[in-house]
Amino acid sequence: MKISYNWIKQFINLDWTAEKTAELLTDLGLEVEGIENFQSVPGGLDGVVIGEVKTCVQHPNADRLKLTTVDIGNGEDLQIVCGAPNVAAGQKVPVATIGTTLHTITGEEFKIKKGKIRGEESHGMICAEDELGLGTSHEGIMILDKAFEVGTPASSVFEIEEDEIFEIGLTPNRADAMSHYGVARDLKAGLMQKELNLELITPSVSAFHVDSRTLKIDVEVIDKEMAPRYCGVTISGLKVGDSPAWLKNRLKAIGLTPINNIVDVTNYVLHELGQPLHAFDAAKISGNKVLVKTLPKGSKFVTLDEVERTLDHEDLMICDGEKPMCIAGVFGGIHSGVSETTTSIFLESAYFDPVSIRKTAKRHGLNTDASFRFERGIDPNITEYALKRAALIILEVAGGEISGDVVDSYPNKIEDFQVVMSFDNARNLIGEEIPRETIKSILTSLDIKVNNVTETGLGLTVPAFRNDVQREADIIEEILRVYGYNRISTSKKLNASIAHSSRFEDHKMQNIIGDLMASLGFYETISNSLTTAEYADLSDEFTAGGNVTLLNPLSQDLGSMRQSMLFSLLEAVAYNLNRQQNDLKLFEFGKTYHHQESTTPVEQKHLSLLITGKNQMESWTIEQKPTDFFNLKGIIYALLDRLGLEDVKESPIQNKSFSEGLNLKVNNKSLLDFGIVKKSILKKFGIDQIVFFADINWDFVLDLAPEHSIKFEEISKYPEVRRDFALMLDENVSFESIHKIARKTERNLLKSVNLFDVYQGKNLPKGKKSYAVSFVIQDNRKTLTDKQIDKIMSKLQANFERELGAELR
């Protein structure tokens, strides 16, 4: 938020430097992130002086150029080539000397240099108003009053205003400080703690009076909950035109572009007092009636940006007798605003329900200065005051008269907040005792009324514009920020306690697995739990009814809690693919959320893995291969091994987000699903390469982890023996079956079983395949004999033949 220091000084007569004031504002919680210098004319016309054209003759080599000599008061006339049709001898003109940088009205910059134009030297430039940034005309040079003295700096002639602009990082709760008056009010409270008791100057509206009652516009507020207060007044006989320089400068200083005197006044009062206003062309209000109401869902409305919007039944609208004119508190309509032909207006000032405005603004993707303030909560008690303030300024800059009584619909007054504060609680929260008189002084300076004082505390009335101060803790925070955080002493003693925690705590387990995944070349992602409800339609695994939806979403794309980690990671994949990052290994710890009709919503923790693209980085030493299913399977089993999870059973996947894959169970409960993501889902994200995904039930992992105990064994000093089988099997036999039979056949001496080759093709009967399997055998107590080894291998062969129908090749 931009705040003009000159504007602040209209409310509080302060002679501090901007830097010193910024320091105090930051201490008060209005953090000043930077200070910018502002000049009403960019560049300040530095290097531009008043000159007098002594001679003006036709350029010898150009029909449209003139050759002039100009006196700029330094004792030496300058020869300047000028193309303006209106230049003539005897004129007083603005002259940009060599080395001057000009800032045009369009924002362009150029430096004046000595040069030749069509063979004649030119030592400067006689300027038009747009070249100086003073206006838009380029029809000719500026001709000035002959009373101006030659050599006078142009900056003194054109009264350039200089200002210093604070860029304040306003926190969302400080709706009271969204104006220059609000900042000045806080500044006054802070200055009192510096023993500077300065008056807060409030603009007077005592001059407001009704001139006639020739234009009456009736107001009916139908939806009083969404519009608790609505004020309006008519002004007739005005003239729409440019705003005066002082008004333009105020708006330009805070980054606003002046439009016309009526609109500029509404913007001025908005940033002065924090009260949004809207001016309607009274001639365009059908039936001389304003209705504040909602319209049926699906109604169409064209806003000022010429976009046709489809309204919701909860969107509050300002209508006339026939049609909608404005989205209340958010954006005006294209057919009801002020134009050059407007001669009478209906000026609106209102207090709209913050939740309603926020929902409407987000629903339509609009963020205006008005909605920014309404949705945070403005002061409901300055609505009429701000209306009168704006009306008086409009009379000043546009003429006209007040042509009707002020309409003020305020059936149910918004009450101030009643809060009780305990001195003991204040001392405990702050950490030291602040004198009670200081506390009362601070609260009074913040317009918080002290109703009663007891030995134990204060009874307080907090004004309605401080909607962020409704609890005792809020009051104490207000006291502390004005008193000064820096004035609270720091304890010299540090107390800390050490808590016992299990090595199976969630964060410790996440660190262990995170380190493992990083060592395997994975990158961790952190994505938003908020997502679009439409993702539930991408897979039959989820339903729209299972979405946990937000009552007040930031946008429709963030209106639901995610049901799966898959879609968050696919968003990351799509983002990377669009930036030529095609080989990805990602993992994420996160939560999913599921609505269940019979119970409260369920929250589940997950670990998700995703791989796509090539398995290895490009290198001349390694042949690049695409990532495949078994790459992911190997990573998963490495992860399970690190967690100490054994006796995992594989079964075909049932998850409908995968085209094929496996489900792993422990103790007959699902632990994880992994496989190939369906192409129909990938297509929605614009992904045209295979993606492998694993979804691990992290809650179940945390339950299983403590059951695993680590056993240490001495490394055997006796040799291990390897024997291989080449087994011919039916095509439907899995290696898992071989592994289980081998382990069951020899539990003590068989150390490992490994599949190292698979063959299918000619020389094998139809429906058969060949597995080459290695078996490592070892006795930790003695060296095995050939007889023992052969006995074990014979048992293995017999069991494979009997249970699997295997044959040795």
Side-chain angles (χ1 to χ4, degrees):
M1 181 180 71
K2 293 184 182 295
I3 293 293
S4 158
Y5 197 23
N6 287 350
W7 204 339
I8 288 290
K9 290 177 181 177
Q10 290 182 198
F11 299 110
I12 190 164
N13 189 14
L14 183 63
D15 58 0
W16 281 11
T17 64
E19 289 74 16
K20 188 175 181 180
T21 303
E23 186 178 341
L24 177 56
L25 288 172
T26 298
D27 289 343
L28 288 166
L30 303 177
E31 182 182 2
V32 177
E33 298 174 340
I35 304 175
E36 298 176 357
N37 292 319
F38 168 79
Q39 293 175 315
S40 56
V41 177
L45 299 182
D46 188 28
V48 181
V49 297
I50 305 303
E52 181 177 3
V53 181
K54 291 295 187 180
T55 65
C56 178
V57 297
Q58 185 66 42
H59 192 292
N61 303 317
D63 294 338
R64 296 186 179 182
L65 298 179
K66 299 285 180 28
L67 195 61
T68 67
T69 56
V70 182
D71 177 14
I72 61 169
N74 63 355
E76 183 179 348
D77 292 349
L78 301 179
Q79 178 173 289
I80 299 177
V81 176
C82 181
N86 63 335
V87 64
Q91 295 171 339
K92 294 286 181 70
V93 293
V95 179
T97 56
I98 291 173
T100 299
T101 299
L102 292 181
H103 302 258
T104 69
I105 194 68
T106 59
E108 299 176 7
E109 296 182 11
F110 62 93
K111 192 172 185 178
I112 304 300
K113 300 177 181 178
K114 177 182 176 181
K116 281 189 176 183
I117 302 176
R118 292 292 184 93
E120 296 293 335
E121 290 189 355
S122 185
H123 297 267
M125 179 177 173
I126 304 174
C127 302
E129 66 175 37
D130 67 326
E131 294 165 335
L132 296 174
L134 294 171
T136 58
S137 174
H138 193 70
E139 295 178 355
I141 59 168
M142 293 186 72
I143 301 173
L144 307 177
D145 193 319
K146 292 188 177 182
F148 290 130
E149 186 176 343
V150 171
T152 303
S155 57
S156 61
V157 171
F158 293 103
E159 299 181 357
I160 296 172
E161 181 177 348
E162 296 188 352
D163 199 353
E164 290 163 300
I165 309 301
F166 301 124
E167 183 65 49
I168 294 180
L170 192 67
T171 53
N173 63 308
R174 291 302 308 276
D176 63 295
M178 292 189 295
S179 66
H180 286 75
Y181 184 77
V183 172
R185 180 170 51 207
D186 247 30
L187 189 57
K188 177 183 183 298
L191 289 170
M192 288 184 66
Q193 296 306 305
K194 305 289 185 183
E195 299 183 354
L196 285 173
N197 192 3
L198 300 180
E199 179 188 0
L200 183 63
I201 303 166
T202 304
S204 173
V205 294
S206 59
F208 181 89
H209 64 279
V210 178
D211 297 298
S212 68
R213 292 177 173 81
T214 55
L215 179 57
K216 182 183 179 184
I217 293 182
D218 296 323
V219 173
E220 182 181 358
V221 180
I222 297 173
D223 197 321
K224 294 180 172 58
E225 289 186 3
M226 295 174 111
R229 188 173 190 184
Y230 191 90
C231 296
V233 70
T234 58
I235 304 175
S236 301
L238 53 80
K239 181 175 177 58
V240 177
D242 284 342
S243 296
W246 69 266
L247 181 53
K248 286 183 178 180
N249 289 341
R250 282 286 178 265
L251 297 180
K252 288 194 289 185
I254 58 174
L256 298 182
T257 302
I259 298 173
N260 60 52
N261 48 7
I262 306 302
V263 175
D264 291 350
V265 169
T266 61
N267 285 331
Y268 177 85
V269 173
L270 180 147
H271 288 277
E272 180 186 51
L273 302 176
Q275 172 66 56
L277 303 161
H278 192 78
F280 298 93
D281 188 331
K284 299 175 183 177
I285 300 177
S286 300
N288 281 357
K289 189 168 188 178
V290 169
L291 303 173
V292 184
K293 62 178 183 177
T294 57
L295 295 177
K297 185 174 184 178
S299 301
K300 304 295 183 182
F301 179 67
V302 181
T303 46
L304 277 172
D305 55 0
E306 300 182 358
V307 174
E308 183 179 75
R309 302 182 187 275
T310 302
L311 302 178
D312 188 83
H313 68 282
E314 292 184 345
D315 293 335
L316 186 65
M317 303 296 295
I318 310 300
C319 308
D320 60 18
E322 298 177 357
K323 62 187 180 301
M325 300 188 295
C326 174
I327 301 178
V330 180
F331 211 22
I334 195 169
H335 301 302
S336 61
V338 172
S339 65
E340 294 177 356
T341 59
T342 298
T343 57
S344 58
I345 63 170
F346 174 75
L347 188 61
E348 167 198 277
S349 178
Y351 175 88
F352 297 118
D353 176 61
V355 174
S356 168
I357 297 301
R358 180 172 177 79
K359 285 184 176 180
T360 295
K362 296 304 177 185
R363 191 180 293 120
H364 295 288
L366 295 170
N367 183 23
T368 61
D369 283 341
S371 67
F372 180 81
R373 286 159 176 79
F374 276 128
E375 66 190 28
R376 284 160 175 78
I378 62 171
D379 184 357
N381 296 318
I382 66 163
T383 308
E384 183 180 5
Y385 168 75
L387 182 73
K388 292 179 178 179
R389 169 72 171 155
L392 289 173
I393 300 176
I394 288 174
L395 296 182
E396 177 187 339
V397 302
E401 63 175 14
I402 306 296
S403 53
D405 293 317
V406 172
V407 177
D408 186 3
S409 173
Y410 196 14
N412 301 306
K413 187 176 185 301
I414 296 174
E415 299 295 335
D416 295 335
F417 310 110
Q418 304 299 319
V419 183
V420 175
M421 189 207 75
S422 161
F423 291 126
D424 287 341
N425 289 342
R427 183 183 66 253
N428 292 336
L429 279 177
I430 292 171
E432 66 180 57
E433 187 154 0
I434 297 176
R436 296 185 179 186
E437 288 303 316
T438 302
I439 289 176
K440 289 190 286 183
S441 172
I442 290 172
L443 294 174
T444 302
S445 70
L446 293 171
D447 292 342
I448 296 175
K449 183 180 178 182
V450 179
N451 297 322
N452 55 74
V453 183
T454 66
E455 284 298 315
T456 58
L458 301 173
L460 306 168
T461 298
V462 181
F465 67 81
R466 289 309 306 271
N467 53 32
D468 62 320
V469 182
Q470 300 185 28
R471 305 170 303 164
E472 182 185 37
D474 299 329
I475 293 288
I476 296 170
E477 181 186 5
E478 289 297 293
I479 295 168
L480 182 54
R481 73 176 181 85
V482 176
Y483 181 75
Y485 289 97
N486 296 334
R487 295 173 66 182
I488 304 300
S489 59
T490 304
S491 172
K492 296 180 180 179
K493 183 180 179 183
L494 179 64
N495 296 322
S497 58
I498 299 174
H500 170 73
S501 62
S502 166
R503 63 189 178 92
F504 300 110
E505 290 285 339
D506 188 0
H507 69 279
K508 293 183 179 180
M509 297 289 288
Q510 287 192 30
N511 286 338
I512 290 170
I513 298 305
D515 289 343
L516 172 67
M517 301 315 297
S519 71
L520 294 172
F522 279 73
Y523 289 92
E524 184 172 9
T525 68
I526 302 175
S527 56
N528 199 338
S529 296
L530 299 177
T531 186
T532 173
E534 295 175 358
Y535 284 161
D537 300 328
L538 298 183
S539 171
D540 293 336
E541 188 69 18
F542 314 107
T543 63
N547 281 327
V548 178
T549 56
L550 275 65
L551 294 175
N552 191 18
L554 293 171
S555 69
Q556 294 304 308
D557 288 338
L558 299 173
S560 178
M561 307 295 284
R562 64 184 172 196
Q563 291 193 60
S564 172
M565 302 281 289
L566 171 62
F567 306 121
S568 301
L569 284 172
L570 290 180
E571 287 177 350
V573 170
Y575 183 89
N576 279 274
L577 292 180
N578 289 336
R579 288 155 182 81
Q580 290 77 51
Q581 301 299 314
N582 300 324
D583 307 325
L584 302 171
K585 292 182 178 181
L586 308 175
F587 77 98
E588 179 174 356
F589 291 97
K591 295 180 180 180
T592 61
Y593 308 84
H594 309 270
H595 178 75
Q596 298 179 350
E597 293 184 5
S598 58
T599 62
T600 56
V602 175
E603 182 178 307
Q604 298 172 346
K605 292 181 182 177
H606 294 259
L607 166 60
S608 295
L609 315 179
L610 182 146
I611 58 175
T612 186
K614 297 290 192 298
N615 190 38
Q616 298 284 348
M617 292 180 63
E618 189 173 14
S619 172
W620 66 275
T621 61
I622 303 173
E623 181 185 355
Q624 276 195 307
K625 294 182 179 180
T627 296
D628 60 28
F629 178 84
F630 294 102
N631 293 135
L632 180 58
K633 184 176 181 181
I635 291 165
I636 287 171
Y637 273 93
L639 186 151
L640 297 178
D641 186 59
R642 182 66 183 86
L643 292 169
L645 300 182
E646 300 174 346
D647 298 325
V648 177
K649 295 183 180 180
E650 297 180 0
S651 60
I653 198 166
Q654 301 298 319
N655 192 316
K656 296 174 184 176
S657 299
F658 298 90
S659 58
E660 55 183 287
L662 289 174
N663 170 258
L664 301 188
K665 291 184 171 69
V666 175
N667 300 334
N668 211 31
K669 180 178 177 181
S670 178
L671 176 64
L672 66 93
D673 289 326
F674 72 98
I676 304 173
V677 180
K678 280 186 175 178
K679 288 185 178 180
S680 59
I681 296 176
L682 299 180
K683 187 177 180 181
K684 275 289 186 179
F685 292 86
I687 300 170
D688 57 4
Q689 63 187 50
I690 297 176
V691 174
F692 301 91
F693 177 72
D695 184 29
I696 302 170
N697 183 339
W698 189 249
D699 286 320
F700 191 26
V701 169
L702 296 177
D703 291 339
L704 293 171
E707 298 177 8
H708 171 64
S709 58
I710 299 175
K711 296 179 181 179
F712 296 91
E713 293 182 354
E714 182 182 358
I715 297 175
S716 176
K717 60 185 178 181
Y718 299 102
E720 61 183 27
V721 178
R722 169 174 164 161
R723 292 288 187 270
D724 298 340
F725 275 165
L727 300 172
M728 187 167 67
L729 305 154
D730 291 338
E731 282 183 336
N732 60 354
V733 176
S734 66
F735 172 68
E736 182 184 13
S737 301
I738 296 173
H739 190 276
K740 288 181 178 179
I741 292 171
R743 288 293 185 187
K744 185 170 63 174
T745 301
E746 179 51 63
R747 298 180 183 275
N748 299 321
L749 301 182
L750 186 62
K751 300 300 182 182
S752 68
V753 183
N754 182 48
L755 175 66
F756 63 89
D757 189 37
V758 178
Y759 174 74
Q760 284 180 286
K762 63 180 182 178
N763 301 327
L764 288 180
K766 187 177 181 181
K768 297 289 186 178
K769 63 183 176 182
S770 176
Y771 274 1
V773 185
S774 66
F775 303 89
V776 175
I777 306 167
Q778 184 183 40
D779 192 331
N780 294 331
R781 299 168 297 173
K782 60 183 179 181
T783 301
L784 289 169
T785 65
D786 288 341
K787 186 176 180 180
Q788 289 175 302
I789 297 169
D790 292 341
K791 183 179 179 181
I792 293 171
M793 298 306 295
S794 296
K795 288 171 63 178
L796 288 171
Q797 179 182 346
N799 287 340
F800 291 150
E801 291 172 349
R802 184 176 65 256
E803 296 188 33
L804 301 177
E807 297 179 28
L808 282 182
R809 293 187 65 200

